[in-house]
Amino acid sequence: MKITAVNSYLKTVNLSFKRKMEEHQSWGANVDSDTKDVSFKIFTFPDVKSVDVKIYDKNNPEKYTLYPLKNRGEGIFETENGLSSSKAAIGDKYSYVIKKNEGTVKEVKDPYAKRQGNGTEEDFIKYSIIYDHSDFQWKNQEKWLMNPERIIKNPKDGQMGIQDAVIYEMQIDTLTQEGTYEAAKQKLQGIKDAGFNTIQMMPNENCFSPNWGYDGEDKMAPPEHRGGPDKLKELIDEAHKLGLNVIMDYVPNHLGPDGAQLEKTGPYIKGDNIFGKALNFEGENSKYVRDYIVNAAINWLQNYKVDGLRLDMTKFMESDFTMKEIAAEINHHFPDAVLIAEDSRQGISISDTGYFEDYRELHDKRVVNPLKSDEICKGDVKKHCEYIDSIDKYIEKHNKEGLDSHSILINLGYDSEWDFAFHHSLNDNIFAFNTNPPDNPRLYDLVEAIYQSQKNVKYVTSHDETGNYDGTRPVIKYLVPKLNMNSYVVLNDEDRKRIQDYAKLKHTSLDEAGKAVTIQKAQHAAEALVKLLSEGKLDSYKYKKQDEFYEDILKELEISPYSDITYKKLLRDYEKSMAQFRMAQALTFAIPGPKMVFQGDENLDITPFRFFREYLSVPYEDYLETEKGYKPGIPALMASKLDGIKYSNKTKTLMEQHNNLTKDLNILNRKNPALTKGSLVLRKDGSKDCFIHQNAIGLHTKDEKSGNEFFVVTNFGDENYPDTFNEKYYMPFPEGRWVEVLNTNDEKYGGDGKYLNKNETFAGMGLDDNNSIKIPVNIGKFSTVYFKRAG
């Protein structure tokens, strides 16, 4: 069966459960907007004898009243007619008391809590809080629905779709010093002014402490320490007022490892996965577990008016069936909502052991268990089981014939996905060119990844690549090999002890553990140097001797006296690292489809992004310090907050120059459909209309409808053209007349301004390697140049 036939078949299985919105919203504690009566509904174990809702006294937390819920069967209990406002009201604390037939009694908070305390064990664990979504008055929603900048799933002429999204990824705890929704509102205008049209908030699922958001326990309750439900709604309302789309990051694959109560609430949990508690999507009594995760997704769209969802690590859901159900319900009730999956199936080849590989990286096992149980596969649901079987067959087909895996997610109902393959390939090549001569560059792999990435969300780095391992920014990571820092950091007794602990923790050799610990220490030492440089605290060393620089600075950072690191070398190599980031960001923005920038990277902020959550009872702090090389918790949180570094005026100028690049890239994307709705050009024979020569790649992109056309060249190498050793770079151009419209080496972006092609027009004859005429152009080291077709 050819790919077209497979896709055609899968599209006919476009199933939708189509549950009523009233049913989606019937769970948990719900306030009647007219009578203010409160109804309660919970799913628990099938063998539960009774469930009472426990309402705590407003004035005396030691007092409470129990109200029995009616058993509706299948583990569902709910109030008969609701409780009057004299018995239960907005702001009251409540919990459920579950009694099993054998006599055990458990008290749990509400898995559907709309408000949930945090900060103390009692607030987080003991009870939930009654909240009414209808009380909030939206000010800008009606106008927003008519805004031409609104991104929708199936855009018509003049409307914007996911391919037009330029996303700013933000994390509320660290976006501002205050770490609140209210403070985040003050950042929105700057994000808009930088040219972004979409914000993506890392998850807002309540947890015991400030955290990245991926360890949430209460999937429908925004954290109180950030401001709670109303303040989050105000933030979203303000974003819409400014013309910013809002995508909510959402975690369907697990619960955090600390404080989870779903395991004793009902059959929600099947065991552990690498992140925490894995949800029971396809086991016994799993129907209402799938409903729960679907309802949690719908919560953000219905009650918080977000424009789309980004689903975290969907492969670890281990259930394409549940992924399909989420998309089916959302596409039915919110046909404009966009769905992005972090799935990492692109470029896959599935091994005999059940693992899958993605551009030389071996990922964790992904299991799709077809729903073949007689209990579940009945009636209409049987069609869904058949759908899963078809997906399994499709993956087998992909393995044999190398089919485009992105279509799997499209047929599951998703619009885009995070592009791991592009990031990894881009990063590999940046590091390959950090050595002289370059160490195993793979530009052909990068071009292949670029062509596959056009529908996907592309980024130079996200919170993961910045925050995991050592928490340093990409420019710091780029700098370390230039300074040969891994060879020059000195390991102390504490480091050697951590190597032993790391080896035990990761089940690896002491040699491998030693490499990991050395790299982390090198990253942190380089970060400390750049922070001093950015604060202007190293300026006086410009004219001092090397031994003074060592005694005053390097020695304290435990860098060897035999290193060749001087102030001038540090500055020169850091400038090269900044140029590499400019180059990479501009290349990413040249590829059609959605793009993303992580908070701070729009202006080359060097604030670290550490893993900073505290734990209630699970002893993870020592584990994380061993793994990452720094203490998690409050110190890591405070170090990760933007606006905490006192930058020098010189550094502020550099940051503003990079912000100029971000703005201009966003303007080019907004005004030129070749960079959003267009596609990378293929020749008549199906080959790629690009070139790879020496250290550079050239990409040809075009929007057929408008005729808008770009040719973008990226020089990964540490060589300028022309310079003492090189003539101008001889480059083939696509047919037509071309003019330079952006060059990352421009002074206004922080470059030296020496290798531009302003006021020149280049006549291209085509990119056929055998016959094309190569034209001499200027191109600087580590730079990306945009040429636009002028005729």
Side-chain angles (χ1 to χ4, degrees), residues 387-661:
Y387 178 84
I388 295 301
D389 286 335
S390 71
I391 287 292
D392 283 339
K393 292 174 184 175
Y394 184 79
I395 292 176
E396 291 176 12
K397 200 74 175 172
H398 178 282
N399 190 31
K400 292 178 181 177
E401 300 181 11
L403 306 181
D404 178 11
S405 60
H406 181 68
S407 58
I408 297 175
L409 291 178
I410 291 175
N411 284 294
L412 285 173
Y414 294 80
D415 305 293
S416 188
E417 60 182 303
W418 269 27
D419 203 320
F420 284 10
F422 169 75
H423 160 76
H424 286 308
S425 189
L426 174 64
N427 205 50
D428 287 350
N429 279 285
I430 290 172
F431 278 96
F433 285 98
N434 261 336
T435 60
N436 191 14
D439 181 21
N440 192 29
R442 303 176 68 98
L443 292 177
Y444 284 93
D445 286 351
L446 175 59
V447 169
E448 184 63 34
I450 286 171
Y451 271 79
Q452 290 189 22
S453 74
Q454 297 175 71
K455 297 176 182 178
N456 303 337
V457 177
K458 297 163 285 293
Y459 48 87
V460 179
T461 188
S462 72
H463 68 274
D464 274 328
E465 293 80 25
T466 300
N468 287 326
Y469 309 115
D470 52 66
T472 60
R473 293 278 175 171
V475 287
I476 305 298
K477 293 177 171 70
Y478 300 165
L479 176 63
V480 166
K482 295 185 184 72
L483 297 177
N484 199 18
M485 191 73 84
N486 294 341
S487 300
Y488 292 138
V489 289
V490 179
L491 300 182
N492 56 33
D493 290 341
E494 185 177 329
D495 297 324
R496 285 186 279 273
K497 172 64 166 58
R498 191 162 79 86
I499 289 171
Q500 295 177 336
D501 294 341
Y502 190 98
K504 292 178 182 177
L505 178 70
K506 296 293 187 179
H507 306 289
T508 189
S509 67
L510 287 174
D511 184 53
E512 289 300 314
K515 290 178 183 177
V517 170
T518 299
I519 289 170
Q520 288 176 341
K521 185 162 187 174
Q523 303 282 21
H524 293 146
E527 180 182 74
L529 280 174
V530 171
K531 184 172 182 290
L532 291 171
L533 183 68
S534 300
E535 292 174 328
K537 293 180 180 178
L538 299 183
D539 290 353
S540 62
Y541 290 93
K542 184 176 182 179
Y543 304 105
K544 290 185 179 181
K545 295 180 180 179
Q546 167 64 11
D547 57 351
E548 292 181 88
F549 190 59
Y550 169 74
E551 287 294 334
D552 296 349
I553 305 297
L554 303 182
K555 185 177 182 180
E556 186 175 346
L557 295 175
E558 297 186 292
I559 297 173
S560 168
Y562 302 108
S563 80
D564 60 353
I565 301 172
T566 63
Y567 169 83
K568 289 183 179 180
K569 178 173 175 56
L570 171 64
L571 180 60
R572 180 176 66 251
D573 288 344
Y574 183 54
E575 288 174 345
K576 288 183 179 180
S577 297
M578 289 190 288
Q580 284 180 305
F581 192 85
R582 291 194 299 269
M583 170 199 77
Q585 185 175 344
L587 172 60
T588 303
F589 273 64
I591 306 166
K595 295 97 177 172
M596 186 182 74
V597 172
F598 180 59
Q599 65 179 37
D601 285 342
E602 76 279 9
N603 60 5
L604 274 182
D605 198 305
I606 61 161
T607 302
F609 188 65
R610 309 276 199 248
F611 187 86
F612 50 77
R613 81 158 282 185
E614 295 181 296
Y615 290 86
L616 179 61
S617 58
V618 182
Y620 273 168
E621 282 82 356
D622 292 341
Y623 171 101
L624 288 168
E625 186 174 355
T626 297
E627 180 188 55
K628 299 181 182 298
Y630 58 82
K631 290 184 180 295
I634 298 302
L637 168 64
M638 299 311 295
S640 301
K641 288 179 176 286
L642 294 179
D643 303 328
I645 298 176
K646 304 300 181 184
Y647 291 112
S648 68
N649 288 334
K650 179 181 178 181
T651 302
K652 288 178 181 177
T653 298
L654 288 171
M655 293 172 72
E656 182 59 34
Q657 287 170 332
H658 189 86
N659 201 48
N660 289 338
L661 174 62

Side-chain angles (χ1 to χ4, degrees), residues 28 41-43 94 96 108-114 116 128 217-220 262 265 268 292 296:
K41 183 179 178 182
I42 186 174
F43 167 64
Y94 71 99
Y96 294 108
V108 299
K109 61 183 179 181
D110 189 355
Y112 280 89
K114 298 174 179 65
Q116 184 68 51
S128 303
E217 306 295 349
D218 307 299
K219 293 205 167 291
M220 304 177 208
L262 282 186
T265 303
Y268 292 87
Y292 167 71

